[in-house]
Amino acid sequence: EFLRITAEQLKSLVKSDVLNVRSEEKVYEALLKWVKHDVDGRHQYIPDLMQCVRWSLLPQSYIAKEVVNEPVLNPYLAVKDMIISALIYHLDNHPDTSKQNRRFFPRHPSSLVVVGGKNPTVRDTVESYSAK
């Protein structure tokens, strides 16, 4: 079903500050998988979708190995600029001036899960709170 959503639906999903992902690599890989499912019909969305990736959150080694030589991205100068900016960010040891751009902020899911107990009794409950 994921591969059948529209570009607008995908963009809305991945640009969210509260997207709950283990790593930004998963966001990049999902976008790439969606595009590659129908490259001829979806290639025009690449620059717009790739703006949703928080490039600075990708490890420098991952960018060098997996992103730099990705053929689907090569034709797009805007995407190359994003990749170069992320590499410069890592090489400059995470300059403070970059933090003004939301692409440099981690995603924050909007829920809190509390697990605990009271000595000597252990409770078997979990409480979840949503910030919404």
Side-chain angles (χ1 to χ4, degrees):
E1 190 170 318
F2 168 75
L3 296 174
R4 293 188 303 218
I5 65 175
T6 67
E8 281 304 312
Q9 290 170 321
L10 181 58
K11 182 178 177 183
S12 177
L13 176 70
V14 297
K15 75 178 183 178
S16 173
D17 288 337
V18 295
L19 180 64
N20 191 1
V21 291
R22 290 180 191 247
S23 66
E24 198 65 17
E25 291 97 313
K26 297 297 181 194
V27 174
Y28 168 76
E29 291 165 3
L31 290 174
L32 208 56
K33 183 176 183 176
W34 183 86
V35 168
K36 287 182 173 183
H37 182 70
D38 178 15
V39 176
D40 292 336
R42 296 177 173 177
H43 68 89
Q44 71 270 20
Y45 302 114
I46 291 173
D48 198 34
L49 290 173
M50 290 298 160
Q51 285 184 354
C52 300
V53 174
R54 310 245 169 131
W55 292 99
S56 64
L57 302 181
L58 294 171
Q60 183 179 354
S61 59
Y62 181 86
I63 296 170
K65 272 186 188 174
E66 305 295 329
V67 179
V68 170
N69 295 316
E70 175 54 54
V72 174
L73 304 179
N74 283 341
Y76 302 97
L77 292 176
V79 177
K80 287 181 182 180
D81 287 344
M82 292 176 221
I83 296 167
I84 290 168
S85 293
L87 289 170
I88 290 170
Y89 175 84
H90 286 292
L91 292 172
D92 282 350
N93 200 22
H94 314 290
D96 290 335
T97 56
S98 298
K99 292 182 181 176
Q100 294 172 359
N101 187 327
R102 78 182 291 174
R103 287 188 287 171
F104 294 94
F105 289 113
R107 299 174 190 274
H108 297 289
S110 61
S111 62
L112 169 69
V113 177
V114 179
V115 181
K118 181 179 178 183
N119 282 339
T121 306
V122 177
R123 295 189 176 192
D124 61 353
T125 60
V126 175
E127 295 183 34
S128 176
Y129 299 92
S130 175
K132 293 181 179 179

